[in-house]
Amino acid sequence: MSSSDTPSFQYPLSWRILDRAESVAGLWPGRWSSLTGYLFLVPALLLVFVLVIGLVYIFDYSLHELDLSTYRLKDAFSLVNYQAALKSVTYRIVVLRSLGASAIVTLITMVLAFPYAYVMVRTRSSFTRKFLLISLFLPFFIGQVVRAYGWLIILGKEGLLNTFITSLGLPPVKLIYNYPAVILGLVQYMLPFAVLLLAPAVTSISEDIELASEGLGANWVQTFRHVVLPLARPGLIGAGVVVFTLTLTDFAMPEILGGGTTDFIANSIYDGFFQISNPGLGAALSMILVTLGSVIVTVVFFLAGTGTLVSTEGTP
Amino acid sequence: MTGARGKTIVLWSIVWFNLIALSLPTIIILGASFTSGDIVRFPPDGLSLKWYARLWLLDDFKDAFLRTLYVSVICTIVSIPAGTLAALALTRYRIRFRTAIQVYLLLPFTIPLVVSGLGMMIVFGEVRILGQLWPVGIGLCCINLPFMMWAVSATVNALDNNLENAAANCGAPPLQAFLTVTLPAVMPGVITGALLMFILAFNEFLVSLFLTDARIVTLPVSIYNSIRSVITPDLAAVSVVYIVIALFAVWLLDRLVGLELFLKSK
């Protein structure tokens, strides 16, 4: 089989590939090794930079007034778009509506999500835990649009609930295209986010502390109020901030379940660009939304700490 | 209500309410997709698979499905090296201005999606790649990248520094130590992150809405466009595709890393 001129021994292919790769990697000089970490960061920094350039463009757009004769933005800088956005009663209502919805959705979601996270972490049955986890991940992995569509079938004019109501001989009720429908859709959308952010916080609370509290005569409501919730505070802040900002900037739920009656800021921005074709005004609203979100998050972090969102770990 | 029984009753009533709210839309869509009637109503006109049969005849649906798949694969392929390396750099290497870089890399979460989407639409338009399909994948990678980094850093923190030192001590050159020690150790994080990136890209609606047009529309956008007109069972059948994929992803995630991973405290 083997002739005398072929070598009788060869290193395995994977070794030879690795050696070749190693020699290529060797081209990276040893005295640059302190730069390796920065090299690793380059792809991620570049990807995020795309968003930064986009933000710069939008900021630039917001400083130029629309020329109504050509439907292009004028070259001269002006603050006309911001004046228009801030003076307009319509936009003031939209901003207040978005902020109000964010507060309501955050409150309801936290009240619903905390017991879910608590039960999921504390249950003794691994089957229950798995069931609760799957019920959480399944909707998380089904997009917002599909879930909104599900709610339309349930709440629609000839939907599940109205069929039930009319079968009782009552007149049909208008359940969609209003504020509560949007809130419902948003709460359901936010639940998985909130629970997944709260669960590690609950895990970190030792059960012994709860037992100690109960051993000292506190009932479970008192234990919750004075022991569990204060200890879960970082998780509650983190989850609350995420739910609040995601709601504030949401587009799909107000669009699909609100049907144009309950626009949020994102919907107004979209309309600014595509409906009334005034990119300058849409861009100004975008900058207002970015500012609003950043200010609220900064104030919360300043007043209550950063919660679990900013990790101080991982320092080598 | 303050006894142990009361605690169980109160907590479990809330949990059951959540379970119903979480699963009702999914169950209703499943039910609606099997109707034999031409509109969705209750009780259904009868059972049939005709809307699924019709689905396969719809070229529009098939094309949108394949485009969505393509976009999600690009997003995942780009995010695996970018996210993994960034997470390793931030946790294992000496980096100056670490906090500033961390804050910068969280920008995809702090910039509202509608603003990111519009921004990328403008940027892609300026460099004349708007209207092609692959930039959509890159765009989805930009907005979800922190998920990938988060998944990897969670496992890196659990990795013992000494393992790499031991490998080096045994004579492994840096690349070999990286490939045979570091990478396998963070693999659960990479798998979790990649799966999240894929499924989130597959579902992403708002940014896709800005980056696609009628020629290259992806599935979430096409569902959204159909919702606006009239509710028909074919849309429910399309949505079931999402439910099936989500089920598969949850199963895969559980098999590969275990869902309980998400309950761990850092």
Side-chain angles (χ1 to χ4, degrees), chain B residues 168-225:
Chain B
N169 216 9
C170 293
L175 187 67
Q176 193 182 0
F178 180 79
L179 290 177
T180 57
V181 177
T182 316
L183 216 48
V186 298
M187 222 16 141
V190 176
I191 292 169
T192 313
L195 201 64
L196 280 178
M197 292 302 288
F198 181 87
I199 207 80
L200 291 172
F202 205 81
N203 282 315
E204 167 54 41
F205 157 67
L206 185 52
V207 170
S208 313
L209 180 68
F210 292 126
L211 298 183
T212 59
D213 54 40
R215 289 175 304 109
I216 57 159
V217 69
T218 53
L219 211 44
V221 181
S222 105
I223 293 178
Y224 167 73
N225 289 337

Side-chain angles (χ1 to χ4, degrees), chain A residues 38 45 112 130 141 163 203, chain B residues 18 42 96 104 203 254 263:
Chain A
Y38 298 98
L45 293 177
L112 293 177
K130 188 74 93 189
F141 283 178
T163 313
T203 307
Chain B
N18 284 333
F42 300 92
R96 295 178 73 186
Y104 172 87
N203 282 315
D254 192 36
L263 301 182

Side-chain angles (χ1 to χ4, degrees), chain A residues 23 86 124 129 215 273:
Chain A
S23 65
L86 293 173
R124 301 253 177 267
R129 184 172 302 122
F273 271 84

Side-chain angles (χ1 to χ4, degrees), chain B residues 70-105:
Chain B
Y70 176 78
V71 163
S72 312
V73 168
I74 288 189
C75 168
T76 314
I77 289 177
V78 174
S79 62
I80 289 175
T84 308
L85 291 177
L88 284 172
L90 285 172
T91 44
R92 312 292 283 174
Y93 289 84
R94 213 171 263 284
I95 300 281
R96 295 178 73 186
F97 311 115
R98 176 191 311 277
T99 315
I101 291 174
Q102 270 172 336
V103 170
Y104 172 87
L105 288 177

Side-chain angles (χ1 to χ4, degrees), chain B residues 18 21 28 30 55 81 93 115 125 134 148 157 161 175 193 201 253 265:
Chain B
N18 284 333
I28 292 301
L30 273 173
L55 209 57
Y93 289 84
V115 180
W134 65 267
M148 185 79 212
N157 284 336
N161 248 326
L175 187 67
L253 191 62
S265 74

Side-chain angles (χ1 to χ4, degrees), chain A residues 82-119:
Chain A
Y82 288 95
Q83 283 165 354
L86 293 173
K87 264 192 202 149
S88 151
V89 180
T90 320
Y91 290 139
R92 196 172 306 158
I93 293 171
V94 167
V95 169
L96 289 176
R97 184 189 291 136
S98 313
L99 283 172
S102 305
I104 297 169
V105 169
T106 309
L107 190 71
I108 299 177
T109 307
M110 299 310 275
V111 168
L112 293 177
F114 192 80
Y116 195 99
Y118 182 85
V119 168

Side-chain angles (χ1 to χ4, degrees), chain A residues 126-281:
Chain A
S126 61
F127 172 81
T128 307
R129 184 172 302 122
K130 188 74 93 189
F131 176 73
L132 292 177
L133 273 165
I134 292 174
S135 310
L136 200 64
F137 270 94
L138 199 60
F140 187 46
F141 283 178
I142 299 172
Q144 216 181 350
V145 178
V146 173
R147 279 149 81 180
Y149 173 63
W151 286 118
L152 277 188
I153 303 182
I154 296 166
L155 305 173
K157 213 166 81 185
E158 290 175 359
L160 180 66
L161 279 177
N162 261 324
T163 313
F164 180 70
I165 292 169
T166 44
S167 73
L168 294 174
L170 299 165
V173 185
K174 192 164 174 284
L175 296 165
I176 44 167
Y177 302 148
N178 54 28
Y179 204 51
V182 177
I183 300 282
L184 174 71
L186 281 167
V187 167
Q188 198 253 11
Y189 178 63
M190 298 301 164
L191 265 175
F193 286 103
V195 175
L196 287 176
L197 284 162
L198 285 172
V202 177
T203 307
S204 69
I205 302 169
S206 161
E207 258 190 294
D208 294 340
I209 299 179
E210 282 179 61
L211 287 176
S213 159
E214 276 163 25
L216 291 170
N219 63 42
W220 76 271
V221 180
Q222 290 167 324
T223 306
F224 250 64
R225 254 201 71 195
H226 299 293
V227 179
V228 179
L229 289 177
L231 284 173
R233 201 178 119 107
L236 287 167
I237 293 167
V241 165
V242 168
V243 172
F244 191 93
T245 47
L246 282 179
T247 307
L248 186 66
T249 59
D250 197 65
F251 174 85
M253 287 298 172
E255 187 74 16
I256 298 172
L257 293 178
T261 59
T262 50
D263 278 0
F264 282 17
I265 305 175
N267 308 83
S268 292
I269 294 173
Y270 183 89
D271 290 348
F273 271 84
F274 300 105
Q275 223 70 39
I276 56 176
S277 302
N278 188 345
L281 185 61

